[in-house]
Amino acid sequence: MSTIQRRSLLKALPFVPALSRSVVQAQDADPVHSFQLEARQEWVTLGGRAALAFAYSQRVPGPALEVNPGERVVVDFRNALPEATNLHFHGLHIPATGSADNIMIRVGSGAAQTYDFTLPANHPGGTFWYHPHVHGAAARQVSRGLAGPIIVRGALDRIPEIAAAPEALFFLQDFAVSANGQFSEPGMMARMNGREGSLITVNGAANPVFNVQDQGWLRLRMVNASASRYYHVRLDQHTFHVIAADGGATASPVEMEDLLLAPGERIEVMILGNRPAGDYVFWNMPYNRGGGNNAQRPILLASLRYEGTAENPWTLPGQLVEIDLLPSPTMKRSFRLGQRMMNFTINGRAFSESRIDTRVNLDSVEDWEFVNATGMDHPIHIHTNPFQVLGPNGNPIPVWKDTVNIRAHSTQTLRVAFRDFEGVSPYHCHILDHEDLGMMGTVGIGRIA
Ligand code: CU
Ligand code: CU
Ligand code: CU
């Protein structure tokens, strides 16, 4: 371990440059990180061709926002789109109220909004992302390019065997864009099933190349930022060592041959360059999520290329971080996911902004059982408070999640703690057409008993 060389992070974020930011000292001496972000319709290059996309600060995906626990984050956001939009900070444990992660905010065309929040000092490090969240327009805006990564530095980044590896983003998006660069709106059936575009990009590129050294490690932060498409990722002749999921590190590395990323989910993996030098392909393998979207053949996503040799090969540690399991719940609730044609519901009701569907006590722990009564998978995302998924034995799995796939005709229980942040916050299907069509509810967190 002491022989590990700390590599510079020059190769970090090769395709998604970090946004220039100003760091100023606030009066209370806490650092403030200010970002400027503008949403605008413009011509960008996607998968090697010109497309009239919706972009954040002229880029698809948008620039990476890198922040630290305990920091105050100020995002000066301008909307130069021809329609209203807003920002959601997917997965961050921050208030859903005020000018923080408040999706009730509408930023009209030509208007500006300052988002301002403080990351809790104990916020886990991890890979998060930002995207618009205007009910009825989320799928269209995200599928036209509005999405960008957020990196919170944390304990994982301080583990020498992890920090020694070059890191890169693997930001997955798909686009329905014509040969002349125009986006088209899908028909009713495609919205019902969840729109998918035939152009698949990683960091905005078709088949980008990621480098790994022989006997060295590569760290990838994978984000599914597609509106509806699932990614079932495999890498020729290599395995993935999973070190983090949505809300931060796993307790220990988990070696896997296949990764499934439903919309909204993130996975961080380490890849060891232990094969003969050459190029290897990342494939998107078939996966049947229901609704007729099962591709029959693998689709090429990206390539891994061997370049150079690691001077001091190393292994990953057996333990990464300590994860506290949530205690037994004080309440158990059931949420039934339903669909009849274009009507998507939770417990029989479509989303209403003026209704609070579920009221929970501040400082409580609850089990939320999601019953998928439909023939399609639905990835359920809960804002504000991450959760632990209960395993087959009924015990929580020790990793923080904020989005989890509920397979067709199946049931999954999530354990959620509501320890801080009073206010109203949504939960919904992250197939964004389903969210737009009503599969979203609200939880009101407060002192009610
Ligand atoms: Cu999201
Ligand atoms: Cu859904
Ligand atoms: Cu959401």
Side-chain angles (χ1 to χ4, degrees):
M1 185 154 143
S2 57
T3 59
I4 289 173
Q5 287 187 319
R6 282 237 172 200
R7 279 173 183 71
S8 78
L9 288 178
L10 280 178
K11 282 191 176 176
L13 323 177
F15 302 97
V16 187
L19 186 59
S20 61
R21 62 184 189 182
S22 52
V23 181
V24 294
Q25 228 42 43
Q27 284 178 335
D28 57 3
D30 284 340
V32 178
H33 279 166
S34 296
F35 300 93
Q36 288 181 349
L37 210 54
E38 184 188 62
R40 182 185 288 274
Q41 183 172 35
E42 51 199 326
W43 288 95
V44 299
T45 303
L46 287 178
R49 50 172 130 144
L52 186 57
F54 285 3
Y56 284 125
S57 299
Q58 300 173 296
R59 297 184 197 143
V60 177
L65 311 184
E66 191 174 319
V67 293
N68 296 297
E71 279 178 354
R72 182 171 163 207
V73 180
V74 177
V75 181
D76 286 316
F77 177 65
R78 301 192 66 81
N79 178 16
L81 294 171
E83 60 190 71
T85 188
N86 63 8
L87 285 180
H88 167 46
F89 303 94
H90 183 127
L92 294 188
H93 181 58
I94 54 174
T97 51
S99 56
D101 189 24
N102 184 352
I103 63 154
M104 299 306 173
I105 290 173
R106 293 284 178 282
V107 188
S109 178
Q113 167 74 36
T114 299
Y115 289 91
D116 188 340
F117 55 85
T118 299
L119 270 191
N122 63 353
H123 197 290
T127 307
F128 304 88
W129 62 299
Y130 59 95
H131 63 81
H133 210 304
V134 170
H135 183 60
R140 186 177 71 251
Q141 294 185 354
V142 169
S143 68
R144 289 177 183 223
L146 290 180
I150 300 172
I151 293 170
V152 180
R153 291 288 164 191
L156 201 51
D157 303 286
R158 292 188 290 272
I159 296 174
E161 295 92 333
I162 306 293
E167 68 171 71
L169 282 155
F170 198 99
F171 201 84
L172 289 152
Q173 293 168 289
D174 65 337
F175 303 101
V177 61
S178 67
N180 62 359
Q182 303 295 320
F183 282 79
S184 53
E185 269 310 289
M188 200 175 86
M189 283 301 287
R191 288 167 61 214
M192 193 178 85
N193 292 327
R195 68 186 69 191
E196 294 192 356
S198 57
L199 173 62
I200 298 179
T201 63
V202 176
N203 303 335
N207 190 20
V209 175
F210 294 85
N211 290 328
V212 69
Q213 290 185 314
D214 182 37
Q215 301 308 317
W217 292 90
L218 171 65
R219 176 183 181 184
L220 290 183
R221 299 172 177 268
M222 308 176 95
V223 181
N224 183 350
S226 281
S228 311
R229 186 182 282 276
Y230 282 50
Y231 296 93
H232 176 200
V233 185
R234 190 174 289 172
L235 173 57
D236 277 345
Q237 297 183 46
H238 293 75
T239 57
F240 301 107
H241 299 258
V242 176
I243 56 168
D246 300 340
T250 51
S252 53
V254 181
E255 192 171 2
M256 299 183 77
E257 292 191 355
D258 291 272
L259 306 171
L260 183 68
L261 279 152
E265 284 188 307
R266 289 88 64 208
I267 297 178
E268 285 182 39
V269 298
M270 300 287 285
I271 296 167
L272 177 61
N274 60 355
R275 295 291 168 190
D279 280 17
Y280 297 86
V281 171
F282 290 90
W283 295 104
N284 188 24
M285 305 300 290
Y287 174 76
N288 185 2
R289 65 176 177 87
N293 282 291
N294 48 325
Q296 298 300 309
R297 280 178 296 147
I299 299 168
L300 187 152
L301 294 174
S303 296
L304 180 75
R305 177 170 298 163
Y306 280 66
E307 199 175 78
T309 302
E311 289 170 21
N312 298 296
W314 72 97
T315 55
L316 295 182
Q319 296 298 311
L320 296 174
V321 300
E322 294 261 354
I323 295 174
D324 293 330
L325 293 180
L326 288 173
S328 296
T330 48
M331 174 78 92
K332 183 170 178 173
R333 299 176 200 271
S334 193
F335 300 85
R336 186 182 168 88
L337 307 175
Q339 180 229 337
R340 213 164 41 80
M341 296 308 288
M342 295 294 267
N343 297 311
F344 285 78
T345 54
I346 298 177
N347 286 339
R349 299 197 286 201
F351 174 69
S352 167
E353 196 171 308
S354 58
R355 189 183 66 222
I356 295 174
D357 296 288
T358 307
R359 290 179 188 274
V360 306
N361 244 323
L362 195 64
D363 219 9
S364 65
V365 175
E366 298 199 356
D367 274 0
W368 285 17
E369 173 195 67
F370 283 86
V371 180
N372 184 352
T374 79
M376 264 186 274
D377 289 16
H378 298 289
I380 290 298
H381 172 45
I382 303 178
H383 285 214
T384 316
N385 294 293
F387 52 79
Q388 292 171 354
V389 177
L390 298 194
N393 57 5
N395 294 324
I397 298 167
V399 64
W400 291 104
K401 293 281 292 170
D402 56 56
T403 309
V404 67
N405 190 40
I406 316 288
R407 293 215 64 173
H409 302 298
S410 78
T411 296
Q412 187 72 256
T413 300
L414 323 177
R415 185 161 293 174
V416 200
F418 304 93
R419 287 179 171 147
D420 40 24
F421 304 144
E422 294 183 57
V424 181
S425 166
Y427 48 88
H428 59 89
C429 178
H430 217 291
I431 290 178
L432 293 175
D433 282 298
H434 296 174
E435 185 244 288
D436 285 337
L437 292 168
M439 194 175 274
M440 176 155 67
T442 55
V443 56
I445 304 158
R447 297 170 199 282
I448 51 177

